[in-house]
Amino acid sequence: MKKDINWSNLGFGYFKTKYNVRTYWKNGEWGELEISSEETINIHIAASCLHYGQEAFEGLKVFKGKDGKARVFRWEENAKRLRSSADGIMMAKVPDELFKKALDTVVKLNKEYIPPYESGASLYVRPLLIGTGPRVGVKPADEYLFLMFVGPVGPYFKEGFKPVQIQLARDADRAAPLGTGNIKVGGNYAASLKSGERAHKEGFSSVLYVDAKEKKYIDECGPANFFAIKDNTYITPKSTSILPSITNKSLITIAEDMGMKTERRPIAIEELSTFDEAGACGTAAVISPIGRILDRDNNKEYIYCKDNNAGPISTKLYNKLRAIQYGDEPDKFNWVTILDV
Ligand code: PLP
Ligand code: COI
């Protein structure tokens, strides 16, 4: 393990490691997986990813357990979602076997960067798929690049598992109802930058987006899904413009296993005042308890945490999820794959 890294103080950002892996799709097929120590790629000036946004990415994490084993959480779900993103913007699809080979290879080559169990940090894996074939007319490319890099990360929101403040804004949409919000393509994140940076400047961790069509329902929370707890029920939005979060899906299973009711349905903005707890969830965010939501348009605020601590149910869900990810608890849902590193 690398000795010169302060594992417990890592934020969420790019971290240079030794190797990444790449493979090119040409003439209708994927080539050999290549290992590289370059941090750059060389692509055509007319590549479709640069001009027309043919780009999709994923994010997954590898956790080192007390037993020293490296565990990856639900990688098949990320591989499947990457194919769904590829389908949505007409890119070549990465089969499970290639995704797994890239994952195994890149993690093994960078094993010294997997944070130790005690640090609470993890190794973030970033798969990226881009159109590299030249296009000036608007058309899907005929060549693609799939790559994977990794880096040790700490919490996405600097608060970690402490309440964050979120700003509800109606004057910006990250995705249209029948657009690309349900897939993980770069354009959605570009569309969120302006409102996201404004929220940061105004003192908030993230924006809570509402549905673009009616501006009535909760969509999602920056780079994470939204959930709320009310009367022992886990409630999360149903919307065509949010990313189907693997963390959220896992929390639904955990909540049901804990005897809670769960609901995936449209959540009207007014309902925010009725919740006992609220949170943002995702691979990077894990669970970020929401302490306060401020509705930017009418200054109405919703408070969920009074003493700067997460609520009891969010805490239980968080502990259970982390215990499964780090291998502290049996993997009863079969979510974890031990990597050979
Ligand atoms: N929503 C958005 C917009 C995201 O970028 C992410 C991160 O991947 C999520 C939700 C959470 O998804 P997951 O739990 O699969 O990481
Ligand atoms: C993740 O949670 O893995 C994400 O990809 C969010 C990201 C935009 C940082």
Side-chain angles (χ1 to χ4, degrees), residues 12 57 59 124 126 156 184 189 223 282-285:
F12 188 92
F57 70 100
Y124 187 69
R126 172 54 63 89
Y156 187 78
K184 204 163 167 60
Y189 299 81
T283 299

Side-chain angles (χ1 to χ4, degrees), residues 53-67:
Q54 267 200 308
E55 185 271 359
F57 70 100
E58 271 302 326
L60 60 162
K61 279 179 171 171
V62 174
F63 304 87
K64 182 165 288 176
K66 257 186 214 152
D67 54 8

